[in-house]
Amino acid sequence: MRTLFHLPLSPFARKVRLALAEKRLPFDLRIERVWERREEFLAVNPAGTVPLLQESNGLSIADSYAICEYLDEAYPDMPLLGRTLGERAEMRRLVAWFDQKFYAEVTRNLVFEKQMKRLLGRGNPDATAIRAGYANLKPHLEYIGWLAETRAWLGGPQIGLADLAAAAQLSTLDYIGDVDWSICDAAKDWYARVKSRPSFRPLLGDRVTGVVPPPHYDDLDF
């Protein structure tokens, strides 16, 4: 069976889970406590990060973008990177935006500082970083709202990897109650559409010990 090594609050693992589910590919989930530096895991993925996908034939793929590219090439019936060259270029641009810029400016400053830093033994949360994360969230939500108002989906006419990348980041933040959805109604409406999809239901059922999500987290109608 295909296995995905993950952490529940990793937005990159969540993106891959959504991609697998959208493509209707069955898989087992295995939590990998990366801070334990398990030798067997490091032998397969020296970076020691999640997600890591292991196919039933023994193929192992690390890095969320590499995994999603592989899935789109190996299982093309439900394309997530677009159909035309232009669509694929725009999809890649937006995935990079959410994986790199959004994560660095928002998710890392909030989820990493408030939840992951302690687990990794990297000291206390940085209040300055947390304030920056909250401040940076507003323009990012407004950009998502603009995309949602001017296109059928963020990256084009069909749901694609850009939507999954953005929703994975936001769902992680939403779990810890750090998204002010009143900032942008268009972004909220788009997120409600994404989280209503069958692929999203397993994420909404996740629970992390010691962290209780807000009541709206798994409410499809907010």
Side-chain angles (χ1 to χ4, degrees), residues 97-98 101-102 105-107 109-110 130-147 170 173 178-188:
W97 179 283
F98 294 116
K101 187 175 177 64
F102 188 105
E105 295 179 356
V106 183
T107 312
N109 284 330
L110 296 176
I130 292 172
R131 285 194 296 272
Y134 287 130
N136 292 333
L137 178 60
K138 183 176 186 293
H140 277 285
L141 281 176
E142 290 172 342
Y143 183 50
I144 290 171
W146 178 83
L147 290 170
L170 284 169
L173 292 164
D178 273 354
V179 182
D180 180 358
W181 292 109
S182 68
I183 289 173
C184 182
D185 287 340
K188 179 181 178 180

Side-chain angles (χ1 to χ4, degrees), residues 13-84:
R14 286 183 167 221
K15 179 180 67 174
V16 174
R17 289 172 66 183
L18 291 171
L20 286 163
E22 286 289 335
K23 288 180 174 289
R24 297 183 175 86
L25 297 172
F27 62 98
D28 285 338
L29 271 177
R30 177 170 173 177
I31 290 178
E32 182 63 37
R33 296 174 178 83
V34 295
W35 52 90
E36 294 179 354
R37 305 288 291 173
R38 192 167 58 90
E39 289 185 9
E40 294 86 352
F41 185 73
L42 293 174
V44 179
N45 179 19
T49 57
V50 292
L52 173 75
L53 181 69
Q54 285 189 334
E55 287 279 41
S56 56
N57 63 5
L59 176 66
S60 295
I61 309 161
D63 180 81
S64 68
Y65 190 78
I67 294 170
C68 291
E69 283 265 6
Y70 160 77
L71 292 175
D72 228 39
E73 292 176 357
Y75 308 98
D77 288 346
M78 170 58 182
L80 293 175
L81 281 168
R83 299 178 185 275
T84 68

